[in-house]
Amino acid sequence: MFFARSFFVASAIGGALAQISGLSTQCQNTLLAVAASPQSVCLNPSGLLQVFLQGTTNSVVTPVDTWLKGLCALGPCSNDDLAAIVTNVTSGCSTDLQPVLGNASPGSLTPLVQQIYPTVRKAVCLADNSNNKELCVTETLTSIQTNTGTLTIDKLLQIVPAIAAGEANSLNGTNLCTPCVKQFYNVAESGFPGIFGPGTTVASNVQTDCGSSFVDGASDPNIVETASNSTSASGSSGSNTSNGCGQSTGQQALLSAFLLSLLALAA
Ligand SMILES: *[C@@H]1O[C@H](CO)[C@@H](O)[C@H](O)[C@H]1NC(C)=O
Ligand SMILES: *[C@@H]1O[C@H](CO)[C@@H](O)[C@H](O)[C@H]1NC(C)=O
Ligand SMILES: *[C@@H]1O[C@H](CO)[C@@H](O)[C@H](O)[C@H]1NC(C)=O
Ligand SMILES: *[C@@H]1O[C@H](CO)[C@@H](O)[C@H](O)[C@H]1NC(C)=O
């Protein structure tokens, strides 16, 4: 029975990956192996793959919510877990990632991912007590969906780069100046002051859009952190959260490359 179930899950996931256009067979097999590895448990990979099982017409909002709730309830990935995941994915998917990463060696992204991960995890696990403790990601995606129609994977992948590029009209008037988004900004600023802190281009753009109170660093008491502090997510012990102080523009470029590579992987 265990085998039957594993086989069913593996074939369902394989089918989902095959739908993601353009991923090489080698890369798909690598992602399946990584998802099945105990070291990736901390990313709740089965929940993530459910997001891709939605096909091209269904909304991703609920599966993303389920994936993140599961992830936030687990302890964080250790640096060793992240290193294994990044090394395996970048080597198994090197052909697919070549346009984004060039010929960077498989392990070279590891320190960057280890540096970004704690901040991203903190951000995606924020919840809004004034809205039934809904995750801030879910609240924000729901509001975007209300204004732009069903948020499919394809649409999400169009919208994220548009937001990153400051093309706010792609959101059809969605108000992003909310307490949740303000706290995303606060978390990003404390993790990467060189990119989001006072005096940066990002800070001045955000201030123009949402007003100076948005960048005052104050937290809304309704917005709470739900990321579990337990250390028992996977077989490896201990997390080592680095606090990315003093980012250089080189790191900013790498950060963009990494985010783009995630998008490329998902596209
Ligand atoms: C990475 O690959 C190695 C060698 O194939 C394997 O032992 C390990 O379990 C893999 N780890 C992950 C997280 O995929
Ligand atoms: C914006 O809203 C209008 C009217 O509701 C709709 O027709 C249009 O498709 C929306 N645009 C986007 C980008 O979602
Ligand atoms: C984890 O620890 C931080 C810092 O001590 C705390 O602010 C946060 O509320 C804790 N998270 C949970 C889910 O208990
Ligand atoms: C965490 O990382 C720092 C700097 O890389 C290192 O000095 C320290 O020993 C690490 N701690 C653990 C528990 O791995």
Side-chain angles (χ1 to χ4, degrees), residues 225-227 229:
E225 183 54 70
T226 71
N229 292 318

Side-chain angles (χ1 to χ4, degrees), residues 6 8-20 23 27-37 40-41 43-55 59-60 62-64 66-68 71 153 265-266:
S6 305
F8 171 74
V9 171
S11 56
I13 291 172
L17 287 176
Q19 285 173 7
I20 304 169
L23 280 191
C27 181
Q28 291 176 30
N29 290 339
T30 300
L31 294 177
L32 284 175
V34 169
S37 145
S40 74
V41 166
L43 295 178
N44 188 15
S46 58
L48 176 59
L49 288 157
Q50 279 300 321
V51 173
F52 291 102
L53 284 169
Q54 295 313 301
S59 168
V60 295
T62 302
V64 165
T66 307
W67 167 47
L68 291 178
L71 181 153
I153 288 187
L265 255 186

Side-chain angles (χ1 to χ4, degrees), residues 147-148 170 172:
N147 289 286
T148 66
S170 63
N172 229 2

Side-chain angles (χ1 to χ4, degrees), residues 119 122-123 126 178-193 196-197 206 212-220 223:
T119 300
K122 233 190 238 175
L126 291 170
T178 61
C180 267
V181 176
K182 182 181 178 187
Q183 196 62 18
F184 287 149
Y185 184 78
N186 289 343
V187 168
E189 183 187 349
S190 64
F192 301 96
F196 297 98
V206 168
S212 52
S213 67
F214 203 82
V215 292
D216 64 9
S219 302
D220 186 309
I223 310 302

Side-chain angles (χ1 to χ4, degrees), residues 158-237:
Q158 285 162 16
I159 282 175
V160 171
I163 298 175
E167 292 160 24
N169 52 4
S170 63
L171 297 176
N172 229 2
T174 309
N175 174 26
L176 288 182
C177 304
T178 61
C180 267
V181 176
K182 182 181 178 187
Q183 196 62 18
F184 287 149
Y185 184 78
N186 289 343
V187 168
E189 183 187 349
S190 64
F192 301 96
I195 301 175
F196 297 98
T200 61
T201 313
V202 177
S204 89
N205 289 344
V206 168
Q207 179 166 348
T208 305
D209 288 348
C210 296
S212 52
S213 67
F214 203 82
V215 292
D216 64 9
S219 302
D220 186 309
N222 281 319
I223 310 302
V224 294
E225 183 54 70
T226 71
S228 161
N229 292 318
S230 122
T231 53
S232 57
S234 79
S236 6
S237 60

Side-chain angles (χ1 to χ4, degrees), residues 63-225:
V64 165
D65 183 63
T66 307
W67 167 47
L68 291 178
K69 279 192 181 127
L71 181 153
C72 297
L74 294 164
C77 302
S78 70
N79 272 349
D80 286 350
D81 296 336
L82 293 173
I85 294 165
V86 171
T87 305
N88 287 15
V89 171
T90 47
S91 56
C93 299
S94 58
T95 316
D96 307 73
L97 292 172
Q98 218 277 339
V100 184
L101 298 180
N103 294 320
S105 75
S108 61
L109 272 182
T110 298
L112 180 72
V113 172
Q114 289 170 342
Q115 197 174 27
I116 296 171
Y117 167 79
T119 300
V120 172
R121 181 167 178 274
K122 233 190 238 175
V124 299
C125 295
L126 291 170
D128 185 353
N129 276 350
S130 73
N131 183 17
N132 285 323
K133 304 193 172 178
E134 184 136 71
L135 286 178
C136 278
V137 168
T138 309
E139 181 181 305
T140 307
L141 291 179
T142 302
S143 143
I144 292 173
Q145 178 164 266
T146 304
N147 289 286
T148 66
T150 307
L151 213 44
T152 61
I153 288 187
D154 290 350
K155 198 163 203 167
L156 190 62
L157 293 174
Q158 285 162 16
I159 282 175
V160 171
I163 298 175
E167 292 160 24
N169 52 4
S170 63
L171 297 176
N172 229 2
T174 309
N175 174 26
L176 288 182
C177 304
T178 61
C180 267
V181 176
K182 182 181 178 187
Q183 196 62 18
F184 287 149
Y185 184 78
N186 289 343
V187 168
E189 183 187 349
S190 64
F192 301 96
I195 301 175
F196 297 98
T200 61
T201 313
V202 177
S204 89
N205 289 344
V206 168
Q207 179 166 348
T208 305
D209 288 348
C210 296
S212 52
S213 67
F214 203 82
V215 292
D216 64 9
S219 302
D220 186 309
N222 281 319
I223 310 302
V224 294
E225 183 54 70

